[in-house]
Amino acid sequence: MPYKSLEIEDNEGHSGQFGVRDRNRTTGRSEEVKAMIIMNFGRAILWCLILIVALGSAVVPDAVSAEEETKNRPKIGLVLGGGGAKGAAHIGVLQVLEELRIPVDYIAGTSMGAIVGALYASGLSPEKIEAVLTAVDWDDIFSGDPDRQDIDFRRKKEDYQILSRLTLGLKDGKIQMPKGLVKDQKVNVLFETLMLHAAEIDDFDRLPIPYRAVAADLETGEMVVLKNGRLADAARASMSVPGAFPPVEVNGRLLIDGGIVRNVPVDIAREMGADIIIAIDVGKPLRTREEIGGALSVLGQMLDIMLKKNVEEQIASLGPDDVYINPELGDLDSGDFTRAVEGARMGEKAAREHIKSLKRYAVPESEYEAFLGRQRRDRVTEVKIASLQVEVEGESGISPEVVKSRLTMEEGETVDIEELEKNAGYVYGTGDFERVDLLMKGQGDGYDLVMKAKEKSWGPNYLRFGMALESDFEGWSRYNLLVDYTRRWINHLGAEWKTRVDIGSPSGIYSEFYQPLRKDRLFFISPYAQWEQRPVDVFEDNDRVAQYRVSGYELGIDLGIQPEMYGEARVGLLYGSYKASTRIGHFALPDDRVERGGIVIRGGIDQLDNVNFPNKGYYARIEALAALESLGTDINYNKVEGAVLGVFTFKKQTVLLSVEAASHIGRDLPFYDQVELGGFLSLSGFRQDQLRGQSMAIGRLVTYHKIGESFFGDLYLGGSLESGNVWQEDFDFDDLVYAGSIFLGYDTILGPLYLGLGLNDEDRAAGYLYLGRTF
């Protein structure tokens, strides 16, 4: 059909042309109405489109402008310098930055700056970082070892053998030492649990704030910028102070503290893309001659000199728009971790002094809220274990199944962070591992947990030394040197062979083979042999009138049970032969040679936190011997002895209570196995082992508190009240001796050293110089 153009004017006087059908050249009113409807419908659509565009233009330009504003504002790079505990000042600076609404786009840190930077970059607020770091018991963390109550009982027993705390390795015929003076196990686990919320991020650009940690390669001295891997490892490697902490292996490289190559890594932040640098340098001026004290002070000055040059170069690179903050830290030093709150306030004060410069980089509240929304993360405080695996890295063939038997958590359980840390401590407490890591990966609503235990690089054969000495300041003294050699993991169940040599008084050699019978090491069998020679003094009143020597050998085999870390119980057979000979004076010995064979039962529980100067815990032991002619003894007799000890601390004052007793059952004890008392804290005022007889009992109340501390040990002031006696027959508690002492104690690497004065109610007094354990 033909179409023609029809012009129609709308209600507003607008006209338009529409195509309409021509029917026999006739046009009706209906056609005009149709045209009007079509035109109005079209205009309605047009206005809707205009309205949509208008509304869109009202929203989109704002979104674009916000994006442009973020894109166009200068990118802020936060540089956190190293300095040990002085790095707590970084927390105060962060608090001021958040108060001023200054977003951080990049973080580069070294040493403690890497720790604080990692926590902030991974999403924790400055307040949470401060709360976490100030709640940490740093003295306990830097002790390295798990709580003594949780370590393997065989390792606990070594504490009573006057051994020093230093353990050397014997490998390939060479003596080897640990790579750090401070055991870092607790430090490692602390950082791993603090950063658990970022466990699945292995690219540090994917953190809420892109992050870099600076370390140094121990082999080449090169700077290593860590930008991927495990966040906890990166931060930990950056603070591995050479000599103090062992190096951390990352990607096949041994890494140490990055401060020696870049203590304030300005250039690293610029390489990340920062336009503006906010650099916090927690270094202090070099000490003056008058301020330099002993060897440790000299060492600290040397390290500061080494750091000073690379710090000055980085500071010189700062431009006029950058902000450099160097807090005044007073006497706050690198090791003052217990003063973290004070350090944070010093950092806050320094940042407020630069508010004018910092305010230039503040952003509107809405933009800063968006930044916080991207940055904030919650700490993970509990973990559901989807799967649990144990991996052992090393050459000794330590069984992962044996290691796993130490754990108290299982798949499917939900455990808190403290439980994770304790289980890592149970494994580390076996004494076989250099570090025990917790590796986690999210799996559904839980985590796949891998406990990775790395064997000691200087094991599994260990050498330890010890020393003890006594003097009464009246011409009597004795000493003892000890060498202990232990071969561990002789087979897949964890057998070990221990040999101990004593030189001095007493002297001898002891060798034991310990063979667990199951993977969980609950049951064991232990054959042993020993030879010993010891002097025995004979007194009349307070005078030493004679001395004889007892020497001989003993063979035995025990079957035992060791329930986890608490203690052990044994039952066994023994046979020995002993000879006595007079050395000084005249003393009639009933026999010059005797044989002893019998059944012995031993048991012990040890939950003390420290054997030198304990603060809490308890200890108990019991031993019973039945010497039988049928097993080779010359004289049938029975002997029982035991002790119970408990320790309590009220504020700074520690109180130790103990009771000890021994006696015969039936026939008298032979001269070579009589009981003894006398000496420091053993009826003080008497000479060492001055009282001998058939029965003995003693109760002690010992109290002490710490009056000083140093890098080498802590100093204590204490005293004791004691009551007991030795009887030639049975106990007679109407005939008790009362005694007491005052002493200074020093907890050294060789053991506790005491200088004391003792007095008893029999008018006996004695001075004591004593190196060794007494409780």
Side-chain angles (χ1 to χ4, degrees):
M1 290 183 183
Y3 287 83
K4 73 175 185 178
S5 178
L6 176 66
E7 184 169 285
I8 301 178
E9 184 176 79
D10 63 14
N11 294 333
E12 296 179 359
H14 297 117
S15 61
Q17 291 184 342
F18 298 86
V20 294
R21 181 176 298 177
D22 183 333
R23 289 185 179 178
N24 301 320
R25 301 177 182 270
T26 61
T27 303
R29 180 67 178 171
S30 61
E31 298 298 340
E32 294 180 7
V33 172
K34 288 180 181 179
M36 181 69 72
I37 291 172
I38 292 171
M39 181 189 70
N40 285 337
F41 182 69
R43 287 188 57 79
I45 293 174
L46 180 62
W47 279 110
C48 286
L49 290 173
I50 292 172
L51 181 61
I52 291 172
V53 171
L55 290 174
S57 64
V59 175
V60 173
D62 285 349
V64 172
S65 63
E67 182 180 342
E68 288 298 321
E69 185 177 354
T70 303
K71 184 183 296 184
N72 293 331
R73 71 168 174 80
K75 296 300 178 69
I76 306 297
L78 183 63
V79 176
L80 304 178
K86 294 179 292 183
H90 297 316
I91 303 170
V93 175
L94 286 171
Q95 290 171 333
V96 174
L97 294 183
E98 292 212 338
E99 178 185 317
L100 297 176
R101 302 194 307 272
I102 298 174
V104 175
D105 299 290
Y106 308 103
I107 295 177
T110 298
S111 195
M112 192 61 179
I115 301 299
V116 175
L119 294 174
Y120 191 64
S122 63
L124 298 189
S125 69
E127 290 72 25
K128 285 187 178 179
I129 296 172
E130 180 176 344
V132 166
L133 296 185
T134 55
V136 170
D137 183 349
W138 291 103
D139 290 336
D140 176 61
I141 289 293
F142 289 135
S143 73
D145 287 322
D147 293 343
R148 186 176 177 277
Q149 294 95 322
D150 298 332
I151 69 173
D152 188 87
F153 188 73
R154 286 190 63 79
R155 306 287 77 84
K156 290 181 185 178
K157 289 174 66 176
E158 293 173 347
D159 290 341
Y160 297 95
Q161 297 171 0
I162 62 171
L163 294 168
S164 74
R165 292 194 288 264
L166 179 62
T167 301
L168 306 176
L170 195 59
K171 196 169 186 178
D172 300 326
K174 298 178 181 179
I175 292 179
Q176 300 189 8
M177 295 183 64
K179 293 182 174 66
L181 295 177
V182 178
K183 298 176 182 177
D184 64 341
Q185 172 61 23
K186 285 189 174 181
V187 175
N188 297 336
V189 173
L190 172 66
F191 293 159
E192 287 167 357
T193 54
L194 284 179
M195 301 174 196
L196 191 55
H197 56 284
E200 295 188 55
I201 299 177
D202 57 8
D203 179 354
F204 300 161
D205 284 336
R206 293 177 51 230
L207 290 167
I209 302 175
Y211 166 81
R212 300 289 185 269
V214 179
D217 190 309
L218 181 60
E219 294 180 285
T220 66
E222 297 174 338
M223 179 174 69
V224 179
V225 178
L226 297 165
K227 58 183 180 180
N228 51 42
R230 297 178 65 228
L231 184 62
D233 277 350
R236 169 67 187 83
S238 183
M239 66 161 290
S240 291
V241 180
F245 291 107
V248 176
E249 185 172 346
V250 178
N251 298 327
R253 306 180 77 168
L254 283 179
L255 303 182
I256 57 175
D257 195 302
I260 64 174
V261 289
R262 196 74 87 249
N263 202 44
V264 183
V266 172
D267 57 343
I268 305 304
R270 290 208 193 280
E271 290 173 6
M272 295 175 72
D275 302 307
I276 299 297
I277 298 294
I278 300 176
I280 299 94
D281 175 13
V282 293
K284 295 168 65 175
L286 295 176
R287 298 175 179 86
T288 64
R289 178 181 301 186
E290 291 74 19
E291 293 171 333
I292 297 175
L296 292 178
S297 180
V298 172
L299 178 61
Q301 182 82 337
M302 181 190 71
L303 291 174
D304 288 343
I305 292 171
M306 293 172 61
L307 302 180
K308 186 176 177 62
K309 183 176 181 181
N310 78 63
V311 170
E312 289 176 343
E313 291 174 350
Q314 293 297 300
I315 294 172
S317 71
L318 295 173
D321 293 329
D322 299 323
V323 182
Y324 172 69
I325 301 175
N326 182 209
E328 173 56 52
L329 298 172
D331 63 348
L332 184 67
D333 214 342
S334 300
D336 294 332
F337 285 91
T338 56
R339 298 172 62 187
V341 173
E342 188 178 346
R345 300 290 73 77
M346 292 174 178
E348 178 185 355
K349 179 177 180 293
R352 293 194 183 283
E353 293 171 356
H354 292 78
I355 278 185
K356 184 176 180 181
S357 299
L358 291 171
K359 276 186 173 179
R360 294 176 293 174
Y361 308 114
V363 299
E365 186 172 346
S366 59
E367 183 178 342
Y368 196 72
E369 288 299 322
F371 163 77
L372 292 181
R374 297 189 302 270
Q375 186 265 342
R376 288 293 194 260
R377 298 291 186 276
D378 291 327
R379 274 193 68 201
V380 175
T381 57
E382 62 179 21
V383 172
K384 181 179 180 181
I385 303 174
S387 67
L388 177 59
Q389 182 180 350
V390 172
E391 295 180 1
V392 177
E393 178 184 337
E395 303 173 355
S396 302
I398 297 178
S399 168
E401 289 77 15
V402 173
V403 175
K404 194 171 184 178
S405 70
R406 304 280 300 183
L407 305 180
T408 60
M409 53 188 184
E410 298 179 355
E411 293 181 358
E413 287 186 341
T414 298
V415 298
D416 57 24
I417 295 301
E418 289 74 19
E419 189 67 18
L420 283 174
E421 292 173 343
K422 269 190 168 293
N423 275 267
Y426 295 152
V427 175
Y428 185 77
T430 63
D432 296 312
F433 302 107
E434 187 172 341
R435 61 182 290 173
V436 179
D437 292 321
L438 301 171
L439 311 180
M440 298 196 194
K441 186 175 182 180
Q443 181 64 40
D445 62 344
Y447 285 85
D448 290 330
L449 170 60
V450 177
M451 184 168 284
K452 187 174 182 180
K454 180 181 179 182
E455 288 183 32
K456 290 179 177 177
S457 58
W458 60 96
N461 304 321
Y462 302 101
L463 195 63
R464 293 178 69 181
F465 298 90
M467 181 174 70
L469 60 87
E470 300 174 67
S471 174
D472 63 2
F473 298 105
E474 294 186 14
W476 176 87
S477 64
R478 69 182 181 185
Y479 73 92
N480 181 263
L481 300 177
L482 182 146
V483 180
D484 180 278
Y485 174 65
T486 304
R487 290 189 60 193
R488 298 188 197 164
W489 285 95
I490 295 174
N491 56 40
H492 71 285
L493 289 177
E496 61 181 59
W497 183 12
K498 175 181 285 292
T499 300
R500 188 179 72 243
V501 177
D502 292 86
I503 303 170
S505 180
S507 59
I509 183 170
Y510 173 86
S511 190
E512 177 190 24
F513 188 85
Y514 167 82
Q515 176 61 66
L517 301 178
R518 304 192 332 184
K519 288 181 179 179
D520 61 4
R521 299 202 274 190
L522 179 63
F523 298 104
F524 64 89
I525 188 168
S526 180
Y528 64 89
Q530 70 172 341
W531 174 85
E532 183 185 45
Q533 180 175 273
R534 59 185 175 89
V536 179
D537 294 320
V538 180
F539 291 86
E540 281 188 10
D541 294 327
N542 204 41
D543 299 321
R544 187 180 288 106
V545 296
Q547 184 184 83
Y548 64 92
R549 177 171 59 197
V550 176
S551 60
Y553 68 87
E554 188 172 285
L555 305 174
I557 185 168
D558 293 338
L559 182 64
I561 182 172
Q562 181 180 308
E564 296 186 349
M565 294 74 69
Y566 297 101
E568 70 171 20
R570 298 177 176 226
V571 58
L573 302 174
L574 64 83
Y575 173 80
S577 177
Y578 310 91
K579 180 180 179 180
S581 58
T582 303
R583 294 188 62 201
I584 302 172
H586 300 283
F587 182 72
L589 296 169
D591 298 290
D592 62 349
R593 181 175 292 277
V594 293
E595 310 291 327
R596 184 175 72 161
I599 299 173
V600 62
I601 299 174
R602 303 183 185 95
I605 297 175
D606 185 355
Q607 285 291 286
L608 294 176
D609 67 334
N610 185 301
V611 296
N612 294 351
F613 292 93
N615 293 299
K616 61 181 180 179
Y618 55 90
Y619 169 89
R621 65 175 177 84
I622 187 170
E623 180 173 332
L625 168 68
L628 305 172
E629 291 182 354
S630 59
L631 294 176
T633 194
D634 290 336
I635 305 172
N636 283 347
Y637 71 95
N638 302 301
K639 179 181 180 181
V640 177
E641 56 184 316
V644 177
L645 181 152
V647 187
F648 316 90
T649 297
F650 307 94
K651 295 185 177 179
K652 294 185 178 181
Q653 194 70 29
T654 298
V655 176
L656 182 151
L657 298 171
S658 71
V659 176
E660 186 176 354
S663 184
H664 64 105
I665 298 177
R667 299 183 64 173
D668 287 349
L669 303 176
F671 74 95
Y672 55 84
D673 209 9
Q674 291 182 344
V675 298
E676 303 168 333
L677 271 183
F680 180 55
L681 300 184
S682 185
L683 290 185
S684 299
F686 287 111
R687 307 288 184 84
Q688 186 70 32
D689 300 333
Q690 182 174 340
L691 308 177
R692 294 176 58 82
Q694 295 294 313
S695 301
M696 77 85 176
I698 183 172
R700 303 182 186 90
L701 186 155
V702 182
T703 183
Y704 48 85
H705 69 275
K706 185 164 62 176
I707 59 174
E709 57 184 66
S710 71
F711 178 79
F712 297 101
D714 298 330
L715 184 65
Y716 296 84
L717 175 66
S720 69
L721 295 174
E722 309 147 37
S723 180
N725 209 342
V726 171
W727 297 275
Q728 298 306 317
E729 295 298 333
D730 296 329
F731 299 104
D732 181 2
F733 294 110
D734 293 328
D735 183 24
L736 292 175
V737 175
Y738 297 92
S741 72
I742 56 173
F743 61 83
L744 282 174
Y746 190 46
D747 191 4
T748 76
I749 192 172
L750 295 174
L753 175 66
Y754 301 91
L755 180 64
L757 176 65
L759 180 69
N760 60 52
D761 65 351
E762 294 195 359
D763 297 325
R764 307 287 175 83
Y768 302 100
L769 176 65
Y770 193 97
L771 176 63
R773 296 177 179 89
T774 62
F775 301 131

